[in-house]
Amino acid sequence: MRLQDAKARFSEVVRESAAAWPAASYASRKDAVVIVGADEFDRLQRPVTGRDIVTVLAASPLAEVKFDRLTVKSRVRNMSL
């Protein structure tokens, strides 16, 4: 939505953004701002952890795909530095 429209309907934009829909406002055909709800903002600010990655992968439609784990066993040689 254009910036002037967002300003005119600011309360509505905030209500919709808090409910679920991010609202983007444009100035001169470029992204100016995106308004998101506080919960979504907090989620975006939280660093991604290994547990988050495991959760996403476990919920993936490909979670049941079986694959062989490859292990490369090579000799380790001692070196003096």
Side-chain angles (χ1 to χ4, degrees), residues 6-20:
K7 286 195 283 186
R9 299 173 29 205
F10 187 71
S11 295
E12 180 183 347
V13 169
V14 169
R15 247 190 331 274
E16 288 178 7
S17 299

Side-chain angles (χ1 to χ4, degrees), residues 16-57:
E16 288 178 7
S17 299
W21 302 105
S25 181
Y26 303 93
S28 303
R29 298 181 188 226
K30 292 184 179 181
D31 288 345
V33 297
V34 175
I35 301 171
V36 296
D39 291 341
E40 179 67 6
F41 179 77
D42 290 342
R43 186 188 69 78
L44 292 171
Q45 292 300 308
R46 187 174 56 88
V48 176
T49 65
R51 184 173 302 279
D52 294 329
I53 294 169
V54 169
T55 302
V56 169
L57 292 175

